[in-house]
Amino acid sequence: MTMPAAIEAVRAAFIGLTAGEFELPPRQAFSGSRSLVMAAHHRPTASTAVKVISIEAERDPVITGTVVYSHPDGQFVADAVPLTTLRTGAVVGVATDLLADEDASHLALLGAGAQAADQVRAVHAVRPLKKLVVFNRDAKKAEALLESLKDELPDTVMDLAPDAEEAVSGADVVCCATASTAPLFTCDALKERVHVNAIGSYRPVMRELPEDLLATAGVVVVDQVEAALSEAGEIIQAVNSGVLRLESLVELGAALGNPPLREGRTVFKSVGVAVQDWAVARLLA
């Protein structure tokens, strides 16, 4: 499957979610979110996707699991790891296409783990990249990532950054894909006009984004408000401290139907919802 096809499938799924086409129960988390179960049922097609994953930070791969896509004519079973990286990249592609400037071409990527390559592919699919800068605490992993992408991005200048602040300075788009529990950079390190995606945090104790970015952003888009308020540490803290008004959060499906202005700094925070798994599994089935 190509990344553009996945992006279009995920875009349509979020529009369908806003239109009420899905039954989407809250994600079930066990053992401190080390085991997750998520499901989505699509009423128009009577199809259902269920994903069960295990997350161990010290393991390689960090995520293991299975996705089952069931429909009236049968079922499809997939390895959750590539499907998860693909659907997570795809939703970032949807958000970047919605919120980044049309001429954005400089991506800063923080994190070089399993999600990283598909984050780059997704942004490149909607905003062809002239420059890619990567920072990872283990520089060897960042070097390996860039080496693996060279053939896919032959016209993109690639570089490593010594730290996150240096990485994001000058970037038109920033992607955060880490397991950080503290903000990765300061708001002052960003350009005045930049789009930031954050997909790493999925527990209340995790944070990738500085609070003042959320407080001053022109728009903060989330995949689903209920999910963000349960799992996205930076969103939870910013709302609880009063710097981010709950009513100012915009769900991705709604934003696709009524696009916000591309002004100042824009943010997309995703914890991942099962309609993404459904969308990609349906294409694969």
Side-chain angles (χ1 to χ4, degrees):
M1 184 190 300
T2 66
M3 181 58 76
I7 289 171
E8 290 310 309
V10 169
R11 190 196 317 271
F14 273 94
I15 292 171
L17 178 62
T18 298
E21 294 180 358
F22 288 90
E23 294 178 38
L24 188 67
R27 178 157 63 189
Q28 300 297 302
F30 307 97
S31 185
S33 294
R34 291 168 64 187
S35 294
L36 303 175
V37 180
M38 49 204 303
H41 176 73
H42 187 237
R43 296 186 183 95
T45 58
S47 57
T48 302
V50 179
K51 182 167 74 175
V52 180
I53 58 173
S54 165
I55 303 172
E56 295 291 344
E58 303 305 318
R59 182 180 61 199
D60 187 13
V62 173
I63 296 174
T64 59
T66 301
V67 177
V68 178
Y69 173 77
S70 300
H71 53 92
D73 297 323
Q75 72 173 23
F76 170 80
V77 181
D79 182 350
V81 176
L83 190 146
T84 297
T85 63
L86 180 61
R87 61 81 140 157
T88 305
V91 78
V92 163
V94 173
T96 301
D97 194 31
L98 176 71
L99 298 170
D101 284 344
E102 292 288 349
D103 61 352
S105 61
H106 177 178
L107 170 64
L109 174 66
L110 306 183
Q115 299 276 7
D118 275 339
Q119 294 289 297
V120 176
R121 294 180 182 117
V123 174
H124 183 63
V126 297
R127 297 293 186 272
L129 294 175
K130 296 179 181 177
K131 185 173 183 179
L132 169 63
V133 179
V134 178
F135 168 71
N136 191 73
R137 287 183 300 176
D138 182 347
K140 290 183 179 180
K141 290 185 70 173
E143 290 173 359
L145 173 67
L146 292 183
E147 182 65 27
S148 71
L149 291 169
K150 279 190 351 183
D151 290 343
E152 294 182 54
L153 305 174
D155 299 320
T156 303
V157 176
M158 300 184 184
D159 200 4
L160 300 178
D163 55 53
E165 297 265 302
E166 179 67 23
V168 303
S169 65
D172 305 315
V173 180
V174 175
C175 285
C176 306
T178 75
S180 181
T181 57
L184 298 170
F185 51 85
T186 63
C187 192
D188 289 343
L190 298 168
K191 291 191 344 181
E192 288 299 318
R193 174 66 191 119
V194 63
H195 172 61
V196 180
N197 299 298
I199 60 97
S201 69
Y202 61 92
R203 292 187 291 148
V205 297
M206 300 173 73
R207 293 173 62 202
E208 294 183 298
L209 305 180
E211 193 170 77
D212 51 349
L213 171 60
L214 296 171
T216 59
V219 63
V220 178
V221 176
V222 296
D223 39 20
Q224 187 189 42
V225 169
E226 180 182 5
L229 293 177
S230 297
E231 300 175 339
E234 49 268 278
I235 299 294
I236 294 169
Q237 178 160 325
V239 169
N240 288 344
S241 68
V243 303
L244 178 64
R245 295 183 299 111
L246 176 58
E247 57 270 24
S248 71
L249 292 174
V250 180
E251 292 192 336
L252 180 57
L256 290 168
N258 184 24
L261 295 175
R262 294 169 175 167
E263 292 183 343
R265 295 163 177 155
T266 55
V267 174
F268 173 61
K269 172 58 199 166
S270 175
V271 294
V273 293
V275 298
Q276 297 164 239
D277 302 303
W278 174 88
V280 174
R282 186 186 185 199
L283 284 184
L284 291 171

PDB file of all heavy atoms in Angstrom, residues 180-195:
ATOM      1  N   SER A 180       8.855  10.636  25.297  1.00  0.00           N
ATOM      2  CA  SER A 180       9.296  11.614  26.289  1.00  0.00           C
ATOM      3  C   SER A 180       8.230  11.893  27.353  1.00  0.00           C
ATOM      4  O   SER A 180       7.032  11.873  27.078  1.00  0.00           O
ATOM      5  CB  SER A 180       9.664  12.923  25.596  1.00  0.00           C
ATOM      6  OG  SER A 180      10.119  13.877  26.538  1.00  0.00           O
ATOM      7  N   THR A 181       8.694  12.190  28.549  1.00  0.00           N
ATOM      8  CA  THR A 181       7.809  12.622  29.634  1.00  0.00           C
ATOM      9  C   THR A 181       8.006  14.100  29.956  1.00  0.00           C
ATOM     10  O   THR A 181       7.425  14.608  30.902  1.00  0.00           O
ATOM     11  CB  THR A 181       8.051  11.789  30.907  1.00  0.00           C
ATOM     12  OG1 THR A 181       9.436  11.894  31.280  1.00  0.00           O
ATOM     13  CG2 THR A 181       7.713  10.323  30.681  1.00  0.00           C
ATOM     14  N   ALA A 182       8.815  14.784  29.152  1.00  0.00           N
ATOM     15  CA  ALA A 182       9.049  16.221  29.322  1.00  0.00           C
ATOM     16  C   ALA A 182       9.097  16.865  27.943  1.00  0.00           C
ATOM     17  O   ALA A 182       9.485  16.220  26.965  1.00  0.00           O
ATOM     18  CB  ALA A 182      10.361  16.477  30.064  1.00  0.00           C
ATOM     19  N   PRO A 183       8.690  18.139  27.832  1.00  0.00           N
ATOM     20  CA  PRO A 183       8.713  18.814  26.528  1.00  0.00           C
ATOM     21  C   PRO A 183      10.069  18.688  25.841  1.00  0.00           C
ATOM     22  O   PRO A 183      11.113  18.793  26.477  1.00  0.00           O
ATOM     23  CB  PRO A 183       8.385  20.259  26.882  1.00  0.00           C
ATOM     24  CG  PRO A 183       7.571  20.152  28.130  1.00  0.00           C
ATOM     25  CD  PRO A 183       8.167  19.016  28.901  1.00  0.00           C
ATOM     26  N   LEU A 184      10.037  18.482  24.544  1.00  0.00           N
ATOM     27  CA  LEU A 184      11.256  18.230  23.788  1.00  0.00           C
ATOM     28  C   LEU A 184      12.012  19.502  23.425  1.00  0.00           C
ATOM     29  O   LEU A 184      13.213  19.465  23.164  1.00  0.00           O
ATOM     30  CB  LEU A 184      10.910  17.475  22.502  1.00  0.00           C
ATOM     31  CG  LEU A 184      10.275  16.099  22.682  1.00  0.00           C
ATOM     32  CD1 LEU A 184       9.759  15.583  21.340  1.00  0.00           C
ATOM     33  CD2 LEU A 184      11.270  15.125  23.276  1.00  0.00           C
ATOM     34  N   PHE A 185      11.297  20.637  23.380  1.00  0.00           N
ATOM     35  CA  PHE A 185      11.899  21.895  22.954  1.00  0.00           C
ATOM     36  C   PHE A 185      11.101  23.033  23.582  1.00  0.00           C
ATOM     37  O   PHE A 185      10.022  22.823  24.134  1.00  0.00           O
ATOM     38  CB  PHE A 185      11.894  22.023  21.423  1.00  0.00           C
ATOM     39  CG  PHE A 185      10.542  21.771  20.810  1.00  0.00           C
ATOM     40  CD1 PHE A 185       9.600  22.785  20.706  1.00  0.00           C
ATOM     41  CD2 PHE A 185      10.197  20.515  20.361  1.00  0.00           C
ATOM     42  CE1 PHE A 185       8.346  22.563  20.167  1.00  0.00           C
ATOM     43  CE2 PHE A 185       8.935  20.270  19.815  1.00  0.00           C
ATOM     44  CZ  PHE A 185       8.014  21.288  19.719  1.00  0.00           C
ATOM     45  N   THR A 186      11.644  24.228  23.495  1.00  0.00           N
ATOM     46  CA  THR A 186      10.923  25.402  23.969  1.00  0.00           C
ATOM     47  C   THR A 186      10.152  26.022  22.807  1.00  0.00           C
ATOM     48  O   THR A 186      10.534  25.876  21.648  1.00  0.00           O
ATOM     49  CB  THR A 186      11.876  26.451  24.545  1.00  0.00           C
ATOM     50  OG1 THR A 186      12.756  26.910  23.507  1.00  0.00           O
ATOM     51  CG2 THR A 186      12.681  25.873  25.703  1.00  0.00           C
ATOM     52  N   CYS A 187       9.121  26.731  23.139  1.00  0.00           N
ATOM     53  CA  CYS A 187       8.312  27.378  22.113  1.00  0.00           C
ATOM     54  C   CYS A 187       9.141  28.403  21.337  1.00  0.00           C
ATOM     55  O   CYS A 187       8.965  28.567  20.130  1.00  0.00           O
ATOM     56  CB  CYS A 187       7.103  28.040  22.768  1.00  0.00           C
ATOM     57  SG  CYS A 187       5.835  28.587  21.615  1.00  0.00           S
ATOM     58  N   ASP A 188      10.061  29.066  22.011  1.00  0.00           N
ATOM     59  CA  ASP A 188      10.879  30.098  21.378  1.00  0.00           C
ATOM     60  C   ASP A 188      11.793  29.535  20.286  1.00  0.00           C
ATOM     61  O   ASP A 188      12.279  30.291  19.436  1.00  0.00           O
ATOM     62  CB  ASP A 188      11.732  30.822  22.416  1.00  0.00           C
ATOM     63  CG  ASP A 188      10.904  31.724  23.317  1.00  0.00           C
ATOM     64  OD1 ASP A 188       9.759  32.030  22.939  1.00  0.00           O
ATOM     65  OD2 ASP A 188      11.406  32.094  24.391  1.00  0.00           O
ATOM     66  N   ALA A 189      12.026  28.219  20.314  1.00  0.00           N
ATOM     67  CA  ALA A 189      12.898  27.623  19.305  1.00  0.00           C
ATOM     68  C   ALA A 189      12.210  27.500  17.948  1.00  0.00           C
ATOM     69  O   ALA A 189      12.872  27.309  16.936  1.00  0.00           O
ATOM     70  CB  ALA A 189      13.365  26.245  19.770  1.00  0.00           C
ATOM     71  N   LEU A 190      10.892  27.628  17.932  1.00  0.00           N
ATOM     72  CA  LEU A 190      10.119  27.466  16.704  1.00  0.00           C
ATOM     73  C   LEU A 190      10.009  28.756  15.914  1.00  0.00           C
ATOM     74  O   LEU A 190      10.048  29.847  16.484  1.00  0.00           O
ATOM     75  CB  LEU A 190       8.703  26.984  17.041  1.00  0.00           C
ATOM     76  CG  LEU A 190       8.560  25.640  17.738  1.00  0.00           C
ATOM     77  CD1 LEU A 190       7.133  25.484  18.254  1.00  0.00           C
ATOM     78  CD2 LEU A 190       8.930  24.502  16.795  1.00  0.00           C
ATOM     79  N   LYS A 191       9.828  28.628  14.599  1.00  0.00           N
ATOM     80  CA  LYS A 191       9.483  29.782  13.786  1.00  0.00           C
ATOM     81  C   LYS A 191       8.096  30.282  14.187  1.00  0.00           C
ATOM     82  O   LYS A 191       7.289  29.553  14.769  1.00  0.00           O
ATOM     83  CB  LYS A 191       9.459  29.398  12.305  1.00  0.00           C
ATOM     84  CG  LYS A 191      10.818  29.095  11.732  1.00  0.00           C
ATOM     85  CD  LYS A 191      10.856  28.959  10.214  1.00  0.00           C
ATOM     86  CE  LYS A 191       9.608  28.762   9.475  1.00  0.00           C
ATOM     87  NZ  LYS A 191       9.783  28.613   8.007  1.00  0.00           N
ATOM     88  N   GLU A 192       7.806  31.502  13.833  1.00  0.00           N
ATOM     89  CA  GLU A 192       6.492  32.069  14.131  1.00  0.00           C
ATOM     90  C   GLU A 192       5.396  31.359  13.341  1.00  0.00           C
ATOM     91  O   GLU A 192       4.255  31.279  13.779  1.00  0.00           O
ATOM     92  CB  GLU A 192       6.479  33.571  13.824  1.00  0.00           C
ATOM     93  CG  GLU A 192       7.278  34.402  14.812  1.00  0.00           C
ATOM     94  CD  GLU A 192       6.733  34.280  16.231  1.00  0.00           C
ATOM     95  OE1 GLU A 192       5.504  34.306  16.397  1.00  0.00           O
ATOM     96  OE2 GLU A 192       7.547  34.138  17.162  1.00  0.00           O
ATOM     97  N   ARG A 193       5.734  30.855  12.167  1.00  0.00           N
ATOM     98  CA  ARG A 193       4.771  30.102  11.359  1.00  0.00           C
ATOM     99  C   ARG A 193       5.316  28.693  11.159  1.00  0.00           C
ATOM    100  O   ARG A 193       6.309  28.491  10.449  1.00  0.00           O
ATOM    101  CB  ARG A 193       4.536  30.788  10.010  1.00  0.00           C
ATOM    102  CG  ARG A 193       3.655  29.967   9.069  1.00  0.00           C
ATOM    103  CD  ARG A 193       2.218  29.818   9.585  1.00  0.00           C
ATOM    104  NE  ARG A 193       1.491  28.817   8.806  1.00  0.00           N
ATOM    105  CZ  ARG A 193       0.970  27.698   9.312  1.00  0.00           C
ATOM    106  NH1 ARG A 193       1.100  27.447  10.601  1.00  0.00           N
ATOM    107  NH2 ARG A 193       0.324  26.858   8.559  1.00  0.00           N
ATOM    108  N   VAL A 194       4.713  27.739  11.821  1.00  0.00           N
ATOM    109  CA  VAL A 194       5.160  26.357  11.768  1.00  0.00           C
ATOM    110  C   VAL A 194       3.992  25.456  12.138  1.00  0.00           C
ATOM    111  O   VAL A 194       3.102  25.855  12.904  1.00  0.00           O
ATOM    112  CB  VAL A 194       6.361  26.127  12.725  1.00  0.00           C
ATOM    113  CG1 VAL A 194       5.961  26.383  14.175  1.00  0.00           C
ATOM    114  CG2 VAL A 194       6.937  24.721  12.588  1.00  0.00           C
ATOM    115  N   HIS A 195       3.979  24.268  11.584  1.00  0.00           N
ATOM    116  CA  HIS A 195       2.987  23.275  11.995  1.00  0.00           C
ATOM    117  C   HIS A 195       3.692  22.154  12.749  1.00  0.00           C
ATOM    118  O   HIS A 195       4.720  21.629  12.278  1.00  0.00           O
ATOM    119  CB  HIS A 195       2.240  22.685  10.798  1.00  0.00           C
ATOM    120  CG  HIS A 195       1.375  21.532  11.190  1.00  0.00           C
ATOM    121  ND1 HIS A 195       0.341  21.664  12.095  1.00  0.00           N
ATOM    122  CD2 HIS A 195       1.418  20.213  10.860  1.00  0.00           C
ATOM    123  CE1 HIS A 195      -0.223  20.483  12.285  1.00  0.00           C
ATOM    124  NE2 HIS A 195       0.411  19.593  11.556  1.00  0.00           N
TER     125      HIS A 195
END
